[in-house]
Structure formats: C-alpha cells, structure tokens
Amino acid sequence: MPSHEQIFEDKIEREVRIEPKDWMPEDYRKLLIRQMSQHAHSEIVGMLPEGNWITRAPSLRRKATLIAKVQDEAGHGLYLYSATETLGITREETIDQLLSGKAKYSSIFNYPTLTWADIGAIGWLVDGAAIMNQVPLCRASFGPYARAMIRICKEESFHQRQGFEILLTLSRGSEAQKHMCQDAIDRWWWPAVMMFGPADESSPHSQKSMQWKIKRFSNDELRQKFIDVCAEQVKVLGMKLPDSKLQWNEETQHYDFGEINWEEFWNVVNGNGPCNKERLAARKKAHEDGAWVREAAAAYAAKKNHSSEIR
Amino acid sequence: MEKISSENWPLWEVFIRTRQGLDHKHAGSLHAADAQMALENARDVYTRRNEGISIWVVESKYIHASSPEEAASFFDPANDKVYRYPTFYQLPDELKNI
Ligand SMILES: [Fe+2]
Ligand SMILES: [Fe+2]
C-alpha cells in the first residue's frame, strides 16, 4: 500500500486537486493557511484606501462603480476566509491574527490615496498586478483555493478596466488633470512592481509553494510579465512609468527595468509604511464598533431558536 | 440547543440555482447567526451579478460526507459493471432507432 505522502505527491504530480478532507502534509496545510489568509486580509484591508474616495467620487457613475468595486473586494475576502477555514482554522482565529498584527497583508495597501487619480492608478496597477498573480492561482493544487480564485478572477477584470478608464479620462483632460494622472502613476508604480514579493532568491516560501503547485510562476517571472504589459499600456495614456532604465530589450524580448528599492519594501512589510498603523487601527475599530451587531444577531437567533423549540 | 456566540456564528453551506430548470449547485460557505441572515449574506456574497434565482442554505454541521480514505472501496461496486452502459450490448448494424 502506498503511504499517505506518496498518494498526496502522486495527486500533485497528476494535477488532481487536493480537497479539505484529503490527507495532506502539515507543512502544506500551514503554507496554505498562511498564503490564503494573507490573501483574504489583503482583500479586506484593500477596501480602506479606496473607501477613502467613495464620498468624494467626481460623479454618480464613478461613485456607483467604486462602491461596486469595494463591495467585490469584501466578497473576495469572504470567499477566501471560507476557503481558508476548510483547512481547520476558525474564522475567529484568522481575524484575530490580522487584528493582532501577527498576520500580514499586501504591503501595497499601506500607501495613501492622496488624489482621485489614485483610484484610477489602483484599478489599473494594483488590481492589474493582483490579476497577474491570481490567474495562475485558479489552477492551485488546493481545490477550495482554486475555486475561490476562479470566482475572484471573473470579477477582477472590471476593476482594472474602470481604473484605466479613470486615468484615460484624466489623461485627456486639463493640464492639472494630466498632471494628477502622471503623479498617481509615479507614486503607485514601484509599490505595484513590489506586489509580486521579494526577488526569487530571497523568497523562502515561494519554492515550496511552486513545488506543491500552489503557485505556478515565480515572483520574478510574474513581475516581468506585469512590467512588459504595463510598459505598453501606459502609451495609450500618453504618460510615463517612473523608471529611467525601462527599455525594450530585443534580445530577451522583455523590458529591462531599474533597480527595485527593497529597503523600502521590507520597511513597509515590517510595519513602517506610510499607513500601516492607520490601516490596522481602522480594522480594529470596525471590528470593535461592530461588536454590538454581532451580539444582537446572536441574541436574536438564540431567542428564535428557543421559541421554535417551545412551539 | 447549543449557544450561538457572537464571535462564532455557525457556518452555512450555500447552494445556488443559476437558472430555472437547473440544479442547485454548491457555491461556497459563510457564517451567519440564523437562516435568514445566511440567505441574505449568500445573496450579497455569491449573487452580485445575477448568478442565481434561488438559494438554499444548510448549516454545515448537517452535511455528511463520504470519506476520501474509503473512496476506493466505497465506490468500488460500480467499477466492474460495464453492462450498465448501452455500449456493452453488441447489436447488428441493420437494427435502427435503438
Ligand atoms: Fe479582489
Ligand atoms: Fe480588485
């Protein structure tokens, strides 16, 4: 009889999805809980920088769109929390890890949204980078993760398109609007490039994740793909990416690009970005302010259960 | 009756019928204090783009699943019954409409 490990490795090899009740190595479970909950937290915290502009969106159309997008991100967080729970961690524990600062979320959300153009830049670049990351995750070896990603990817493409449309409108506007557009791109470009995570040689979890077919491409591969796509798309806006070394390379058939500021990356990861404290404080406040709703709902459900038992 | 804590609402499985005439299909799960809240949350989480015309929610604890460990022996009885398929029966070509 083959061992549990052999059956598991054989399924991975043959592209058979692993389901929650199947045997899996403890490290696989841990790696998934870490990656999926981080992903869920990112969707939830990611609502904050955009939520900042809902009340100030420049038109009803933009406002309705932004609300719909932010709602989608809440949905994405919930799909992923549910999928994470199938691995045996409770929702409560997962949320606690976020609120206590133990769990990480994508560093990109620790940057502020200073102008309306930032909402455009987030849609185009941040959701764009997220899509680049997420499409291959639709084939992740863990079934619930892959299924959640399929649902998410279907919804993401509107996010990126509405962002690009915002920038396109600004890029065709007044001098001040054009300037605002370029300024947002300047501020969001490098943080978006860093969204793919550390370079391959300094990404400890990446290798394991690829071996188990959770991730399909390395951080650097996805980053290159993102840069290649954006370097072309930015031309449609008539804007520039803030990288003097960005240049098409005939030989590699890719864009060469400048040095990434890893010091800044690790600084933000380690809690010292411009908005880390603010974001966490906002999540904690929302959780605490919502306590009475949770209590009331529980009391109401208990009362209804009780009266239906008596009847 | 077990007590529902405010920090840990029960888990519900969500099944959605996408169009009239189709089966309800598992869509995912969510937490809710009671069935009504589970239905409303399921609508908000799983049908923001007209993905459904009907939703079922079932508390996850009421779902009993076959065990993957025993899948081989559990499904084995169906394995060697090729005579359950129409192609098993060799009939002459001149026989039509069968
Ligand atoms: Fe999302
Ligand atoms: Fe998004």
Side-chain angles (χ1 to χ4, degrees), chain A residues 190-237:
Chain A
W190 286 107
V193 168
M194 292 185 222
M195 275 176 73
F196 296 92
D200 291 348
E201 62 270 18
S202 39
S203 180
H205 299 287
S206 234
Q207 215 186 340
K208 206 72 200 158
S209 188
M210 283 179 72
Q211 191 190 320
W212 277 327
K213 297 188 181 167
I214 300 168
K215 283 177 70 156
R216 299 286 175 154
F217 299 100
S218 78
N219 295 354
D220 287 333
E221 282 174 305
L222 291 168
R223 186 171 5 251
Q224 181 69 60
K225 211 171 148 198
F226 176 71
I227 292 172
D228 289 347
V229 168
C230 293
E232 291 300 317
Q233 289 176 341
V234 76
K235 294 176 186 168
V236 179
L237 296 171

Side-chain angles (χ1 to χ4, degrees), chain A residues 4 21-22 71-72 75 78-79 82 85 91-92 151 155 158 287 294-295 297-298 300-302 304-305 309, chain B residues 1 4-9 11 27 29-31 33-34 36-37 45-46 48-49 51 65-66 68-69:
Chain A
H4 283 316
K21 293 179 90 187
D22 295 348
Q71 261 184 328
D72 273 355
L78 292 174
Y79 305 154
S82 296
E85 265 184 292
R91 178 76 55 98
E92 203 181 355
R151 204 177 280 278
E155 300 180 348
F158 123 68
H287 191 71
R294 295 192 295 279
E295 280 158 23
Y300 179 69
K304 266 205 318 197
N305 274 338
E309 266 173 24
Chain B
M1 197 77 216
I4 299 162
S5 99
S6 62
E7 295 302 319
N8 238 333
W9 290 342
L11 189 66
S29 54
L30 50 77
H31 286 272
D34 58 30
Q36 186 58 34
M37 188 196 267
V45 178
Y46 292 106
R48 285 192 304 283
R49 288 175 178 77
E51 289 96 336
S66 63
E69 318 272 272

Side-chain angles (χ1 to χ4, degrees), chain A residues 88-107:
Chain A
I89 183 169
T90 65
R91 178 76 55 98
E92 203 181 355
E93 267 176 280
T94 318
I95 305 276
D96 278 350
Q97 289 178 352
L98 170 69
L99 299 181
S100 69
K102 190 179 163 223
K104 299 258 182 282
Y105 54 86
S106 178
S107 277

Side-chain angles (χ1 to χ4, degrees), chain A residues 43 73 76 156:
Chain A
E43 303 281 357
E73 306 302 4
H76 298 173
E156 281 294 346

Side-chain angles (χ1 to χ4, degrees), chain A residues 118-146:
Chain A
D118 289 18
I119 300 306
I122 288 181
W124 176 38
L125 297 174
V126 176
D127 288 80
I131 292 170
M132 207 60 99
N133 246 322
Q134 289 170 352
V135 169
L137 288 174
C138 296
R139 292 188 292 129
S141 55
F142 185 57
Y145 194 25

Side-chain angles (χ1 to χ4, degrees), chain B residues 19-93:
Chain B
R19 271 186 296 123
Q20 204 61 49
L22 296 182
D23 293 323
H24 283 77
K25 206 177 142 209
H26 186 241
S29 54
L30 50 77
H31 286 272
D34 58 30
Q36 186 58 34
M37 188 196 267
L39 281 171
E40 282 163 15
N41 287 357
R43 176 200 59 195
D44 293 344
V45 178
Y46 292 106
T47 65
R48 285 192 304 283
R49 288 175 178 77
N50 292 312
E51 289 96 336
I53 54 154
S54 162
I55 301 177
W56 289 349
V57 289
V58 182
E59 252 193 89
S60 309
K61 66 177 180 195
Y62 294 121
I63 301 225
H64 300 270
S66 63
S67 142
E69 318 272 272
E70 285 148 27
S73 58
F74 191 71
F75 294 105
D76 177 59
N79 275 349
D80 55 357
K81 300 186 174 56
V82 283
Y83 45 84
R84 282 177 173 167
Y85 299 91
T87 45
F88 177 74
Y89 303 90
Q90 302 291 319
L91 298 172
D93 288 347

